Structure formats: C-alpha cells, structure tokens
Amino acid sequence: MENSEIVVDPDLCSGCCTCVLACPVNREIEPLCAEGIAPKTNAVVLRVINGVCQVLNFDLCKGQEKCGLCEALCPNGALKFKEESI
C-alpha cells in the first residue's frame, strides 16, 4: 500500500500559480482557473497563499500516475510527489 503527498519547497516556489491553474481538479471546482484566474476558495487541491503554493485538499488529487501536471509544469521544481510504502 502506498501513502503519497505533494511536498512544496517554499524556498523554490515563486507563487506563479502555474500548478494551481493547471490542476484538473481545481478547474472542476473553480472553472475560472481555466481562464487563468486563481481560485478564491480553499476547497481546491492547490492554492497560492501569501506567495507560496499550499496543498489544501490532497485527498481530491488524482495523483502522479493519473495526472502529475503540478509537478511537471512547475517552472522552479518546487512541487514533488512523495510516495512511501506503508
């Protein structure tokens, strides 16, 4: 069994919102993400708060195997999927 999470390195995150706007779950919850407008709700997977990406609802994430866009598109390499066997 695997336990996974998204880890954000705040020192690398520039707060650019690329990950937030690319997330397909965020786009389902907050359709304005598809138009480049950051979500105003905390009911999303990722959101930039105080200039740094925060993982708010990882349980909604489709995971690296199904998506992985946040990690793949981050221009600074600030997001990483971390998987642990439990």
Side-chain angles (χ1 to χ4, degrees):
M1 184 177 224
E2 302 260 334
N3 185 26
S4 53
E5 63 180 323
I6 301 170
V7 177
V8 179
D9 184 335
D11 293 328
L12 294 176
C13 180
S14 67
C16 70
C17 283
T18 299
C19 58
V20 173
L21 299 174
C23 175
V25 176
N26 279 7
R27 287 174 174 232
E28 287 174 20
I29 295 167
E30 187 71 49
L32 291 176
C33 286
E35 296 177 32
I37 299 171
K40 305 290 186 242
T41 177
N42 285 341
V44 292
V45 178
L46 302 166
R47 183 171 174 209
V48 172
I49 300 172
N50 295 325
V52 177
C53 179
Q54 304 291 319
V55 181
L56 300 177
N57 295 292
F58 181 74
D59 55 314
L60 300 175
C61 179
K62 296 182 182 198
Q64 186 176 25
E65 289 152 13
K66 293 183 183 174
C67 176
L69 284 174
C70 61
E71 181 179 24
L73 295 178
C74 179
N76 301 317
L79 282 84
K80 300 288 182 206
F81 271 89
K82 181 180 170 189
E83 296 186 22
E84 297 177 0
S85 294
I86 54 173

